[in-house]
Amino acid sequence: MQASPEIGQWLANCAALWLSAHMAHTPRTLYDKIWDAHVVERRDDGTCLIYIDRHLVHEVTSPQAFESLRAAGRKVRRPDLTLAVPDHNLPTTARRDAAGQRIPIADPESAQQLAALERNAPEFGIRLIGDADVEQGIVHVVGPEQGFSLPGATIVCGDSHTACHGGLGALAFGIGTSEVEHVLATQTLLLKQSKNMEVRVEGELGAGVTAKDVVLHICGVLGASGGTGYVIEYTGSAIRSLSLEGRLTVSNMAIEHGARAGLIAPDETTFAYLKGRPFAPKGEEWDKAVAWWRSLATDPGAKYDKVVVIDAADIVPSVTWGTSPEDVVPITGVVPAPESFTDPSKQQAAQKSLDYMGLTPGQRLEEVEVQNVFIGSCTNSRIEDLRAAAAVIKGRKKADNVRWAIVVPGSGLVKRQAEEEGLDRIFIEAGIEWREPGCSACLAMNPDKVPAGERCASTSNRNFVGRQGPGARTHLVSPAMAAAAAVTGKLTDVRKLTSA
Amino acid sequence: MEPVKEVAGRAIPFGRKNVDTDVIIPAHWLKTITRDGLGRGAFEALRQDPDNLFDSPEFKGSPILIAGDNFGCGSSREHAAWALLDLGITAVIAPSFSDIFSGNAFKNGILTVVLPQAAIDRLMEVAQTDPVTIDLESQTVTTPFQDRFSFEIDPFRKHCLLNGLDEVGLTLARGDAISDYENKSAGETPWLAKGVAA
Ligand code: SF4
């Protein structure tokens, strides 16, 4: 693309500003550039006051933050950079009756959290996407979908999977309630810069291998804490080849290998996705934005503190067997023996996981029966995820031993789109429930729970003990694999169902 | 935030190691919308025991908690700090704390005092019958029996606690720098500076 002379001049100005800030022409990573562009003040000990461009607020981690503001008589500095969306404990059943009246939420505490958000947002001048709005959904689905989340922006939310927005090339990370309050009041955070890690996935992904399998594989390679202290940039031809939605899936789970955030450099795929979104820049501003986004790419010769290279050919449809996202095996594999780990503490952890999961070493994953299937969460609830699941399910029926299978779209807009494409019919005809958008069984704060002792093939991001309900046993998989499990009643290599 | 200069009074001789945040405040209390009232859920499982320390006439409402290694490990929930405060605890003495917990404690004006195990053992003994005094200015823990233990604390945190400065307040004082940044950003990346109206 040819930049117009005006934009060229503007870019040159920006470049000059950066250079003056960075005297030497040190090549910088994508992360370094976003960081540098957001430093309000740098302290002697290296701590920086970092400006936050976008703040997503949901009903669970915000009430006490608003309460403190109110108690101290403080305002929200930039309500216009803040967007409130309830998602975590909304029921995924109908929210309005035939007459358009709200159906009361059964759990009084959930109802109270929702009511608090509905009170706080207008009181502090924040835009609220309400529980019955078609734009409502999981914050991490709504942000990109609305063009609220943008490349090169700093984005925070009181939820650990905020790294999701890194798929757009935004520096996005989860924060706690005190930090939510800090951002509301000051639009900044006091932070120390993390180290740079590159995770490069080179080569072509095989048939049936999705973005989720890529990130599960990375979780297996890095371990649950391999990214601690780093911000990870995912690079390489396999990452570049992913759709924007797939990139969100990968970046979403950066926290599952301990990283503060994940990043994927914005490119044509990103721009095509964002163009025309409600809050995305328009007209001349769009051209300027695109030019700036391009300039964020890691400079040739920039140094990462750590580089991990993965061959895409090594990645197959994957599934977790344990209670940490690092417990990943190929679907063609077997449950590992605790003795197979060298680290004694991992051996112990593996034994505990196996006991909790009710699995025995050597058992083939493909023989493991599931009673529940959950297709949803901010990892995998966008339209492509639902299409992938529907493609497997089409013309098939839910297996009899699968007691409960639900599809929870990531937002009302995803839901509407899926319905326009007839995907809802495919699920419903197969005996799978079609729900309202929200977090749902990802963390089971609402009534969607997996019963104790039962298994769930789940497209979410955490297989922690009790995450999907007390005693629930979670196997993390891609949407296509979850769909395969729904129709066979077992963890299944989806390639067996889809190969002609 | 209230300035913290001295915390003095009876200290609960709890002593337990690896107290995780789930012990301090179980997960089912996380659905609250206010910081207040979490004291009822604090140490809920332990307080099922009618003879527990927290509800004993002698220690109920004590401002100091003495614990073992690695206090506050586990999930990052800030509710743990809120629950302690609501129970009346404004200082915890232990050989070590989880980083996240001590950060959350600090943000809420709870003093975390790190002392070696030998000192903890002695304080546990004194606490059975007598009060303990933590003086932040001099960074010492003393007892009526001439015991005197010094502790380290990050100078920035000490300054904030002594003066009742909370992080939000400190950053608000940098408002001009933030405005300067906003003006610069409005020129360079106007699409980021531009928000969504309510
Ligand atoms: S879907 Fe799960 S991970 Fe995502 S925001 Fe909701 S609770 Fe968090």
mmCIF file of all heavy atoms in Angstrom, chain A residues 194-199 215-234 253-262 304-310 324-327 343 346:
data_model
loop_
_atom_site.group_PDB
_atom_site.id
_atom_site.type_symbol
_atom_site.label_atom_id
_atom_site.label_comp_id
_atom_site.label_asym_id
_atom_site.label_seq_id
_atom_site.Cartn_x
_atom_site.Cartn_y
_atom_site.Cartn_z
ATOM 1 N N SER A 194 7.913 -5.966 31.514
ATOM 2 C CA SER A 194 8.257 -7.387 31.519
ATOM 3 C C SER A 194 9.366 -7.635 30.504
ATOM 4 O O SER A 194 9.732 -6.747 29.738
ATOM 5 C CB SER A 194 7.035 -8.225 31.141
ATOM 6 O OG SER A 194 5.947 -7.933 31.967
ATOM 7 N N LYS A 195 9.863 -8.863 30.500
ATOM 8 C CA LYS A 195 10.866 -9.239 29.499
ATOM 9 C C LYS A 195 10.145 -9.649 28.210
ATOM 10 O O LYS A 195 8.955 -9.944 28.207
ATOM 11 C CB LYS A 195 11.713 -10.393 30.033
ATOM 12 C CG LYS A 195 12.649 -9.946 31.152
ATOM 13 C CD LYS A 195 13.518 -11.073 31.654
ATOM 14 C CE LYS A 195 12.727 -12.013 32.543
ATOM 15 N NZ LYS A 195 13.531 -13.066 33.156
ATOM 16 N N ASN A 196 10.917 -9.696 27.125
ATOM 17 C CA ASN A 196 10.375 -10.070 25.820
ATOM 18 C C ASN A 196 10.626 -11.544 25.520
ATOM 19 O O ASN A 196 11.755 -12.014 25.632
ATOM 20 C CB ASN A 196 11.091 -9.276 24.720
ATOM 21 C CG ASN A 196 10.534 -7.881 24.538
ATOM 22 O OD1 ASN A 196 9.449 -7.723 23.998
ATOM 23 N ND2 ASN A 196 11.268 -6.882 24.985
ATOM 24 N N MET A 197 9.595 -12.243 25.129
ATOM 25 C CA MET A 197 9.782 -13.612 24.645
ATOM 26 C C MET A 197 9.146 -13.732 23.268
ATOM 27 O O MET A 197 8.078 -13.169 23.029
ATOM 28 C CB MET A 197 9.142 -14.634 25.579
ATOM 29 C CG MET A 197 9.452 -16.084 25.170
ATOM 30 S SD MET A 197 8.499 -17.364 26.028
ATOM 31 C CE MET A 197 8.936 -17.113 27.709
ATOM 32 N N GLU A 198 9.820 -14.448 22.393
ATOM 33 C CA GLU A 198 9.215 -14.751 21.100
ATOM 34 C C GLU A 198 8.877 -16.229 21.085
ATOM 35 O O GLU A 198 9.727 -17.061 21.399
ATOM 36 C CB GLU A 198 10.200 -14.445 19.959
ATOM 37 C CG GLU A 198 9.619 -14.754 18.587
ATOM 38 C CD GLU A 198 10.625 -14.612 17.438
ATOM 39 O OE1 GLU A 198 11.849 -14.710 17.693
ATOM 40 O OE2 GLU A 198 10.183 -14.426 16.300
ATOM 41 N N VAL A 199 7.645 -16.550 20.742
ATOM 42 C CA VAL A 199 7.283 -17.940 20.486
ATOM 43 C C VAL A 199 6.962 -18.012 19.006
ATOM 44 O O VAL A 199 5.973 -17.414 18.540
ATOM 45 C CB VAL A 199 6.089 -18.397 21.352
ATOM 46 C CG1 VAL A 199 5.621 -19.778 20.932
ATOM 47 C CG2 VAL A 199 6.461 -18.397 22.830
ATOM 48 N N VAL A 215 -2.270 -23.267 20.635
ATOM 49 C CA VAL A 215 -1.984 -22.674 21.952
ATOM 50 C C VAL A 215 -1.909 -23.758 23.025
ATOM 51 O O VAL A 215 -1.113 -23.654 23.959
ATOM 52 C CB VAL A 215 -2.966 -21.529 22.296
ATOM 53 C CG1 VAL A 215 -4.344 -22.010 22.660
ATOM 54 C CG2 VAL A 215 -2.379 -20.679 23.414
ATOM 55 N N LEU A 216 -2.710 -24.814 22.902
ATOM 56 C CA LEU A 216 -2.577 -25.915 23.867
ATOM 57 C C LEU A 216 -1.182 -26.520 23.751
ATOM 58 O O LEU A 216 -0.521 -26.815 24.749
ATOM 59 C CB LEU A 216 -3.651 -26.988 23.632
ATOM 60 C CG LEU A 216 -5.074 -26.641 24.078
ATOM 61 C CD1 LEU A 216 -6.059 -27.737 23.656
ATOM 62 C CD2 LEU A 216 -5.154 -26.439 25.594
ATOM 63 N N HIS A 217 -0.725 -26.679 22.519
ATOM 64 C CA HIS A 217 0.617 -27.224 22.296
ATOM 65 C C HIS A 217 1.668 -26.311 22.944
ATOM 66 O O HIS A 217 2.596 -26.790 23.602
ATOM 67 C CB HIS A 217 0.858 -27.368 20.787
ATOM 68 C CG HIS A 217 2.161 -28.019 20.449
ATOM 69 N ND1 HIS A 217 2.297 -29.391 20.307
ATOM 70 C CD2 HIS A 217 3.390 -27.498 20.254
ATOM 71 C CE1 HIS A 217 3.562 -29.672 20.028
ATOM 72 N NE2 HIS A 217 4.254 -28.544 19.982
ATOM 73 N N ILE A 218 1.504 -25.011 22.765
ATOM 74 C CA ILE A 218 2.456 -24.065 23.363
ATOM 75 C C ILE A 218 2.426 -24.190 24.895
ATOM 76 O O ILE A 218 3.463 -24.178 25.557
ATOM 77 C CB ILE A 218 2.150 -22.607 22.931
ATOM 78 C CG1 ILE A 218 2.333 -22.462 21.411
ATOM 79 C CG2 ILE A 218 3.055 -21.612 23.673
ATOM 80 C CD1 ILE A 218 1.898 -21.098 20.850
ATOM 81 N N CYS A 219 1.217 -24.342 25.460
ATOM 82 C CA CYS A 219 1.096 -24.547 26.913
ATOM 83 C C CYS A 219 1.905 -25.767 27.343
ATOM 84 O O CYS A 219 2.582 -25.752 28.378
ATOM 85 C CB CYS A 219 -0.364 -24.761 27.327
ATOM 86 S SG CYS A 219 -1.362 -23.271 27.286
ATOM 87 N N GLY A 220 1.833 -26.825 26.548
ATOM 88 C CA GLY A 220 2.577 -28.040 26.865
ATOM 89 C C GLY A 220 4.077 -27.809 26.796
ATOM 90 O O GLY A 220 4.841 -28.280 27.640
ATOM 91 N N VAL A 221 4.520 -27.066 25.789
ATOM 92 C CA VAL A 221 5.958 -26.829 25.597
ATOM 93 C C VAL A 221 6.498 -25.907 26.691
ATOM 94 O O VAL A 221 7.533 -26.178 27.299
ATOM 95 C CB VAL A 221 6.227 -26.212 24.198
ATOM 96 C CG1 VAL A 221 7.682 -25.762 24.073
ATOM 97 C CG2 VAL A 221 5.877 -27.222 23.107
ATOM 98 N N LEU A 222 5.801 -24.819 26.968
ATOM 99 C CA LEU A 222 6.323 -23.828 27.923
ATOM 100 C C LEU A 222 6.042 -24.196 29.374
ATOM 101 O O LEU A 222 6.762 -23.791 30.273
ATOM 102 C CB LEU A 222 5.698 -22.449 27.661
ATOM 103 C CG LEU A 222 6.163 -21.684 26.437
ATOM 104 C CD1 LEU A 222 5.480 -20.329 26.398
ATOM 105 C CD2 LEU A 222 7.679 -21.490 26.465
ATOM 106 N N GLY A 223 4.993 -24.982 29.602
ATOM 107 C CA GLY A 223 4.580 -25.243 30.977
ATOM 108 C C GLY A 223 3.773 -24.074 31.504
ATOM 109 O O GLY A 223 3.782 -22.985 30.924
ATOM 110 N N ALA A 224 3.116 -24.309 32.648
ATOM 111 C CA ALA A 224 2.180 -23.306 33.167
ATOM 112 C C ALA A 224 2.890 -22.045 33.635
ATOM 113 O O ALA A 224 2.269 -20.998 33.777
ATOM 114 C CB ALA A 224 1.351 -23.895 34.313
ATOM 115 N N SER A 225 4.199 -22.118 33.887
ATOM 116 C CA SER A 225 4.891 -20.918 34.360
ATOM 117 C C SER A 225 6.055 -20.517 33.457
ATOM 118 O O SER A 225 6.827 -19.628 33.805
ATOM 119 C CB SER A 225 5.373 -21.119 35.791
ATOM 120 O OG SER A 225 6.199 -22.248 35.850
ATOM 121 N N GLY A 226 6.151 -21.154 32.303
ATOM 122 C CA GLY A 226 7.279 -20.865 31.407
ATOM 123 C C GLY A 226 7.311 -19.435 30.911
ATOM 124 O O GLY A 226 8.351 -18.929 30.490
ATOM 125 N N GLY A 227 6.163 -18.771 30.954
ATOM 126 C CA GLY A 227 6.115 -17.393 30.459
ATOM 127 C C GLY A 227 6.146 -16.362 31.569
ATOM 128 O O GLY A 227 6.010 -15.166 31.313
ATOM 129 N N THR A 228 6.318 -16.814 32.820
ATOM 130 C CA THR A 228 6.270 -15.886 33.949
ATOM 131 C C THR A 228 7.341 -14.804 33.813
ATOM 132 O O THR A 228 8.503 -15.108 33.561
ATOM 133 C CB THR A 228 6.434 -16.656 35.282
ATOM 134 O OG1 THR A 228 5.422 -17.648 35.341
ATOM 135 C CG2 THR A 228 6.300 -15.720 36.470
ATOM 136 N N GLY A 229 6.929 -13.570 33.945
ATOM 137 C CA GLY A 229 7.867 -12.447 33.828
ATOM 138 C C GLY A 229 8.018 -11.933 32.405
ATOM 139 O O GLY A 229 8.750 -10.980 32.160
ATOM 140 N N TYR A 230 7.327 -12.561 31.459
ATOM 141 C CA TYR A 230 7.468 -12.166 30.058
ATOM 142 C C TYR A 230 6.153 -11.656 29.477
ATOM 143 O O TYR A 230 5.073 -12.012 29.939
ATOM 144 C CB TYR A 230 7.878 -13.365 29.197
ATOM 145 C CG TYR A 230 9.257 -13.885 29.461
ATOM 146 C CD1 TYR A 230 9.471 -14.892 30.392
ATOM 147 C CD2 TYR A 230 10.355 -13.381 28.761
ATOM 148 C CE1 TYR A 230 10.744 -15.382 30.633
ATOM 149 C CE2 TYR A 230 11.632 -13.867 28.991
ATOM 150 C CZ TYR A 230 11.820 -14.864 29.934
ATOM 151 O OH TYR A 230 13.087 -15.334 30.162
ATOM 152 N N VAL A 231 6.318 -10.893 28.396
ATOM 153 C CA VAL A 231 5.222 -10.688 27.461
ATOM 154 C C VAL A 231 5.634 -11.459 26.215
ATOM 155 O O VAL A 231 6.769 -11.343 25.746
ATOM 156 C CB VAL A 231 5.019 -9.188 27.158
ATOM 157 C CG1 VAL A 231 4.183 -8.992 25.908
ATOM 158 C CG2 VAL A 231 4.353 -8.510 28.350
ATOM 159 N N ILE A 232 4.746 -12.280 25.715
ATOM 160 C CA ILE A 232 5.098 -13.157 24.601
ATOM 161 C C ILE A 232 4.592 -12.593 23.285
ATOM 162 O O ILE A 232 3.418 -12.216 23.168
ATOM 163 C CB ILE A 232 4.488 -14.566 24.795
ATOM 164 C CG1 ILE A 232 5.054 -15.208 26.071
ATOM 165 C CG2 ILE A 232 4.759 -15.443 23.580
ATOM 166 C CD1 ILE A 232 4.503 -16.590 26.351
ATOM 167 N N GLU A 233 5.450 -12.521 22.306
ATOM 168 C CA GLU A 233 4.989 -12.224 20.951
ATOM 169 C C GLU A 233 4.974 -13.534 20.173
ATOM 170 O O GLU A 233 5.992 -14.225 20.073
ATOM 171 C CB GLU A 233 5.900 -11.198 20.257
ATOM 172 C CG GLU A 233 5.369 -10.844 18.865
ATOM 173 C CD GLU A 233 6.196 -9.787 18.117
ATOM 174 O OE1 GLU A 233 7.066 -9.140 18.743
ATOM 175 O OE2 GLU A 233 5.966 -9.655 16.900
ATOM 176 N N TYR A 234 3.823 -13.876 19.654
ATOM 177 C CA TYR A 234 3.691 -15.082 18.843
ATOM 178 C C TYR A 234 3.979 -14.696 17.398
ATOM 179 O O TYR A 234 3.351 -13.779 16.860
ATOM 180 C CB TYR A 234 2.284 -15.674 18.955
ATOM 181 C CG TYR A 234 1.884 -15.994 20.381
ATOM 182 C CD1 TYR A 234 1.146 -15.090 21.137
ATOM 183 C CD2 TYR A 234 2.260 -17.191 20.988
ATOM 184 C CE1 TYR A 234 0.789 -15.370 22.457
ATOM 185 C CE2 TYR A 234 1.905 -17.480 22.302
ATOM 186 C CZ TYR A 234 1.170 -16.563 23.024
ATOM 187 O OH TYR A 234 0.820 -16.843 24.327
ATOM 188 N N MET A 253 -4.801 -17.382 25.778
ATOM 189 C CA MET A 253 -4.255 -18.316 26.758
ATOM 190 C C MET A 253 -2.811 -18.004 27.148
ATOM 191 O O MET A 253 -2.150 -18.823 27.778
ATOM 192 C CB MET A 253 -4.430 -19.752 26.271
ATOM 193 C CG MET A 253 -5.899 -20.165 26.295
ATOM 194 S SD MET A 253 -6.217 -21.873 25.881
ATOM 195 C CE MET A 253 -5.508 -22.762 27.265
ATOM 196 N N ALA A 254 -2.325 -16.826 26.800
ATOM 197 C CA ALA A 254 -0.957 -16.440 27.196
ATOM 198 C C ALA A 254 -0.783 -16.565 28.711
ATOM 199 O O ALA A 254 0.254 -17.027 29.193
ATOM 200 C CB ALA A 254 -0.656 -15.010 26.752
ATOM 201 N N ILE A 255 -1.819 -16.212 29.442
ATOM 202 C CA ILE A 255 -1.763 -16.288 30.910
ATOM 203 C C ILE A 255 -1.602 -17.741 31.360
ATOM 204 O O ILE A 255 -1.057 -18.013 32.423
ATOM 205 C CB ILE A 255 -3.040 -15.656 31.531
ATOM 206 C CG1 ILE A 255 -2.990 -15.639 33.060
ATOM 207 C CG2 ILE A 255 -4.298 -16.345 31.110
ATOM 208 C CD1 ILE A 255 -2.203 -14.541 33.648
ATOM 209 N N GLU A 256 -2.054 -18.685 30.556
ATOM 210 C CA GLU A 256 -1.950 -20.105 30.937
ATOM 211 C C GLU A 256 -0.536 -20.640 30.812
ATOM 212 O O GLU A 256 -0.256 -21.749 31.224
ATOM 213 C CB GLU A 256 -2.936 -20.979 30.143
ATOM 214 C CG GLU A 256 -4.390 -20.573 30.266
ATOM 215 C CD GLU A 256 -4.847 -20.323 31.703
ATOM 216 O OE1 GLU A 256 -4.296 -20.918 32.639
ATOM 217 O OE2 GLU A 256 -5.760 -19.488 31.878
ATOM 218 N N HIS A 257 0.351 -19.877 30.181
ATOM 219 C CA HIS A 257 1.761 -20.238 30.352
ATOM 220 C C HIS A 257 2.461 -19.159 31.175
ATOM 221 O O HIS A 257 3.655 -18.978 31.085
ATOM 222 C CB HIS A 257 2.500 -20.584 29.045
ATOM 223 C CG HIS A 257 1.888 -20.073 27.761
ATOM 224 N ND1 HIS A 257 0.853 -20.700 27.113
ATOM 225 C CD2 HIS A 257 2.193 -19.019 26.994
ATOM 226 C CE1 HIS A 257 0.545 -20.022 26.027
ATOM 227 N NE2 HIS A 257 1.339 -19.004 25.927
ATOM 228 N N GLY A 258 1.693 -18.450 31.963
ATOM 229 C CA GLY A 258 2.270 -17.548 32.959
ATOM 230 C C GLY A 258 2.631 -16.171 32.442
ATOM 231 O O GLY A 258 3.080 -15.329 33.211
ATOM 232 N N ALA A 259 2.440 -15.915 31.151
ATOM 233 C CA ALA A 259 2.870 -14.625 30.598
ATOM 234 C C ALA A 259 1.932 -13.510 31.036
ATOM 235 O O ALA A 259 0.735 -13.726 31.247
ATOM 236 C CB ALA A 259 2.914 -14.687 29.079
ATOM 237 N N ARG A 260 2.494 -12.328 31.145
ATOM 238 C CA ARG A 260 1.686 -11.159 31.514
ATOM 239 C C ARG A 260 0.710 -10.840 30.385
ATOM 240 O O ARG A 260 -0.429 -10.442 30.605
ATOM 241 C CB ARG A 260 2.632 -9.969 31.736
ATOM 242 C CG ARG A 260 1.962 -8.683 32.114
ATOM 243 C CD ARG A 260 1.711 -8.653 33.592
ATOM 244 N NE ARG A 260 0.492 -7.949 33.903
ATOM 245 C CZ ARG A 260 0.337 -7.134 34.944
ATOM 246 N NH1 ARG A 260 1.310 -6.939 35.770
ATOM 247 N NH2 ARG A 260 -0.821 -6.563 35.179
ATOM 248 N N ALA A 261 1.194 -10.969 29.146
ATOM 249 C CA ALA A 261 0.337 -10.681 28.000
ATOM 250 C C ALA A 261 0.868 -11.435 26.790
ATOM 251 O O ALA A 261 2.006 -11.905 26.792
ATOM 252 C CB ALA A 261 0.321 -9.180 27.721
ATOM 253 N N GLY A 262 0.033 -11.553 25.775
ATOM 254 C CA GLY A 262 0.447 -12.132 24.498
ATOM 255 C C GLY A 262 0.228 -11.079 23.427
ATOM 256 O O GLY A 262 -0.600 -10.184 23.578
ATOM 257 N N TYR A 304 14.927 -10.457 21.668
ATOM 258 C CA TYR A 304 14.016 -11.021 22.651
ATOM 259 C C TYR A 304 14.876 -11.648 23.745
ATOM 260 O O TYR A 304 15.951 -12.173 23.465
ATOM 261 C CB TYR A 304 13.144 -12.104 22.013
ATOM 262 C CG TYR A 304 12.195 -11.607 20.946
ATOM 263 C CD1 TYR A 304 12.546 -11.661 19.602
ATOM 264 C CD2 TYR A 304 10.945 -11.110 21.287
ATOM 265 C CE1 TYR A 304 11.671 -11.224 18.616
ATOM 266 C CE2 TYR A 304 10.069 -10.668 20.306
ATOM 267 C CZ TYR A 304 10.427 -10.733 18.974
ATOM 268 O OH TYR A 304 9.559 -10.303 18.012
ATOM 269 N N ASP A 305 14.391 -11.605 24.978
ATOM 270 C CA ASP A 305 15.168 -12.208 26.058
ATOM 271 C C ASP A 305 15.143 -13.723 25.961
ATOM 272 O O ASP A 305 16.006 -14.402 26.469
ATOM 273 C CB ASP A 305 14.598 -11.754 27.406
ATOM 274 C CG ASP A 305 14.655 -10.242 27.537
ATOM 275 O OD1 ASP A 305 15.763 -9.720 27.716
ATOM 276 O OD2 ASP A 305 13.595 -9.582 27.413
ATOM 277 N N LYS A 306 14.104 -14.236 25.311
ATOM 278 C CA LYS A 306 14.012 -15.681 25.161
ATOM 279 C C LYS A 306 13.268 -15.985 23.863
ATOM 280 O O LYS A 306 12.305 -15.280 23.535
ATOM 281 C CB LYS A 306 13.260 -16.270 26.359
ATOM 282 C CG LYS A 306 13.235 -17.773 26.381
ATOM 283 C CD LYS A 306 12.637 -18.283 27.689
ATOM 284 C CE LYS A 306 12.562 -19.810 27.632
ATOM 285 N NZ LYS A 306 11.952 -20.377 28.818
ATOM 286 N N VAL A 307 13.707 -17.007 23.152
ATOM 287 C CA VAL A 307 13.045 -17.390 21.911
ATOM 288 C C VAL A 307 12.734 -18.884 21.966
ATOM 289 O O VAL A 307 13.588 -19.691 22.317
ATOM 290 C CB VAL A 307 13.945 -17.099 20.681
ATOM 291 C CG1 VAL A 307 13.262 -17.568 19.393
ATOM 292 C CG2 VAL A 307 14.285 -15.612 20.601
ATOM 293 N N VAL A 308 11.504 -19.227 21.655
ATOM 294 C CA VAL A 308 11.105 -20.631 21.599
ATOM 295 C C VAL A 308 10.581 -20.881 20.196
ATOM 296 O O VAL A 308 9.718 -20.145 19.714
ATOM 297 C CB VAL A 308 10.001 -20.934 22.642
ATOM 298 C CG1 VAL A 308 9.499 -22.363 22.504
ATOM 299 C CG2 VAL A 308 10.511 -20.669 24.053
ATOM 300 N N VAL A 309 11.143 -21.886 19.521
ATOM 301 C CA VAL A 309 10.714 -22.170 18.150
ATOM 302 C C VAL A 309 9.963 -23.496 18.125
ATOM 303 O O VAL A 309 10.413 -24.487 18.703
ATOM 304 C CB VAL A 309 11.924 -22.223 17.194
ATOM 305 C CG1 VAL A 309 11.454 -22.459 15.768
ATOM 306 C CG2 VAL A 309 12.728 -20.935 17.282
ATOM 307 N N ILE A 310 8.812 -23.465 17.497
ATOM 308 C CA ILE A 310 7.977 -24.663 17.436
ATOM 309 C C ILE A 310 7.709 -24.980 15.971
ATOM 310 O O ILE A 310 7.421 -24.078 15.170
ATOM 311 C CB ILE A 310 6.652 -24.433 18.210
ATOM 312 C CG1 ILE A 310 6.952 -24.342 19.719
ATOM 313 C CG2 ILE A 310 5.639 -25.526 17.909
ATOM 314 C CD1 ILE A 310 5.772 -23.902 20.560
ATOM 315 N N SER A 324 -4.011 -28.777 34.915
ATOM 316 C CA SER A 324 -3.286 -27.569 34.553
ATOM 317 C C SER A 324 -3.257 -27.547 33.030
ATOM 318 O O SER A 324 -3.135 -28.591 32.397
ATOM 319 C CB SER A 324 -1.860 -27.622 35.105
ATOM 320 O OG SER A 324 -1.058 -26.666 34.434
ATOM 321 N N PRO A 325 -3.379 -26.355 32.440
ATOM 322 C CA PRO A 325 -3.379 -26.310 30.969
ATOM 323 C C PRO A 325 -2.078 -26.830 30.355
ATOM 324 O O PRO A 325 -2.025 -27.097 29.164
ATOM 325 C CB PRO A 325 -3.571 -24.815 30.667
ATOM 326 C CG PRO A 325 -4.210 -24.258 31.888
ATOM 327 C CD PRO A 325 -3.646 -25.041 33.031
ATOM 328 N N GLU A 326 -1.040 -26.996 31.168
ATOM 329 C CA GLU A 326 0.198 -27.559 30.620
ATOM 330 C C GLU A 326 0.092 -29.072 30.433
ATOM 331 O O GLU A 326 0.938 -29.676 29.789
ATOM 332 C CB GLU A 326 1.384 -27.230 31.529
ATOM 333 C CG GLU A 326 1.362 -27.968 32.850
ATOM 334 C CD GLU A 326 2.576 -27.666 33.733
ATOM 335 O OE1 GLU A 326 3.300 -26.702 33.447
ATOM 336 O OE2 GLU A 326 2.778 -28.407 34.714
ATOM 337 N N ASP A 327 -0.929 -29.675 31.002
ATOM 338 C CA ASP A 327 -1.082 -31.132 30.921
ATOM 339 C C ASP A 327 -1.720 -31.520 29.587
ATOM 340 O O ASP A 327 -2.861 -31.972 29.535
ATOM 341 C CB ASP A 327 -1.952 -31.649 32.078
ATOM 342 C CG ASP A 327 -1.355 -31.343 33.439
ATOM 343 O OD1 ASP A 327 -0.125 -31.163 33.518
ATOM 344 O OD2 ASP A 327 -2.112 -31.299 34.422
ATOM 345 N N ASP A 343 10.692 -33.879 37.235
ATOM 346 C CA ASP A 343 10.584 -33.050 38.430
ATOM 347 C C ASP A 343 9.692 -33.738 39.479
ATOM 348 O O ASP A 343 8.533 -34.049 39.209
ATOM 349 C CB ASP A 343 9.992 -31.691 37.994
ATOM 350 C CG ASP A 343 9.692 -30.782 39.169
ATOM 351 O OD1 ASP A 343 10.057 -31.132 40.298
ATOM 352 O OD2 ASP A 343 9.102 -29.707 38.930
ATOM 353 N N LYS A 346 6.378 -32.177 40.088
ATOM 354 C CA LYS A 346 5.440 -32.410 38.981
ATOM 355 C C LYS A 346 4.875 -33.830 39.063
ATOM 356 O O LYS A 346 3.704 -34.049 38.752
ATOM 357 C CB LYS A 346 6.150 -32.164 37.637
ATOM 358 C CG LYS A 346 5.272 -32.363 36.413
ATOM 359 C CD LYS A 346 4.148 -31.317 36.281
ATOM 360 C CE LYS A 346 3.053 -31.801 35.338
ATOM 361 N NZ LYS A 346 1.848 -31.001 35.342
#
